[in-house]
Amino acid sequence: SRLEESVKKTVAHNPVVVYSKSWCSYSSEVKSLFKKLGVKPLVIELDELGAQGPQVQKVLERLTGQHTVPNVFIGGKQVGGCTDTVKLYHKGELESLLSKATAK
Amino acid sequence: SRLEESVKKTVAHNPVVVYSKSWCSYSSEVKSLFKKLGVKPLVIELDELGAQGPQVQKVLERLTGQHTVPNVFIGGKQVGGCTDTVKLYHKGELESLLSKATAK
Ligand SMILES: N[C@@H](CCC(=O)N[C@@H](CS)C(=O)NCC(=O)O)C(=O)O
Ligand SMILES: N[C@@H](CCC(=O)N[C@@H](CS)C(=O)NCC(=O)O)C(=O)O
Ligand code: FES
């Protein structure tokens, strides 16, 4: 669908993308982790897209199998949610993923 | 209002009460902390109350100044949200609050 193409394009053309909900603390935690690492992700607040919000969430579920927020992409690849991103950080793997993605 | 009276009665008559939203990870974190401590709180899922959900949330905001979830009460006193409850736990203060409240 056209929406699916636009989501695919968004994650391909931006080094770090976070699909979020503005009032969700797990989404905020991921956004502040990137801020702490000096990274400015493209943040898309699904609850601020009006009728398209639930539709984009369905596309994300189709593309990634994940219907929850936050949904994080780095270098065009889906990383997962908040706990996944924080785990990568604690294992020291997040920073190398970020430098590869932002170096392109 | 009648709803305010019923919320006041609920927090007065139950040792531990958690106002939650079923899909919220911060609400789940607080519920699992209590489970780990062997405590069975009264859990009220605001998103499962239908039209009353937002009304109860407004009453909680009027009574406690907090409009967010989770909203935790122990021994009739408002403790706060997830971060507040977890902080009390790490300071070793949560367990004494719980034993006082559940001993009654
Ligand atoms: N472990 C996941 C949890 C994600 C999660 O459950 N997100 C919630 C909001 S905090 C959600 O999207 N809930 C909607 C739903 O369950 O339908 C993560 O760390 O991102
Ligand atoms: N620090 C608070 C954060 C609470 C919070 O922001 N909760 C969110 C859901 S995770 C909420 O209720 N958002 C609704 C809103 O902001 O209107 C806590 O630990 O409970
Ligand atoms: S909605 Fe509460 S942590 Fe996401």
Side-chain angles (χ1 to χ4, degrees), chain A residues 52-90:
Chain A
Q52 274 217 333
Q55 292 169 0
V56 171
Q57 208 168 348
K58 275 215 183 55
V59 166
L60 288 167
E61 184 168 10
R62 263 207 314 276
L63 293 177
T64 67
Q66 182 183 318
H67 70 279
T68 56
V69 287
N71 203 334
V72 179
F73 293 77
I74 300 176
K77 288 206 192 60
Q78 199 234 0
V79 165
C82 172
T83 42
D84 305 308
T85 308
V86 169
K87 248 183 229 147
L88 281 176
Y89 174 60
H90 288 312

Side-chain angles (χ1 to χ4, degrees), chain A residues 23 25-26 29, chain B residues 23 25-26 29:
Chain A
W23 35 260
S25 301
Y26 261 37
E29 277 191 19
Chain B
W23 34 260
S25 301
Y26 261 37
E29 277 192 18

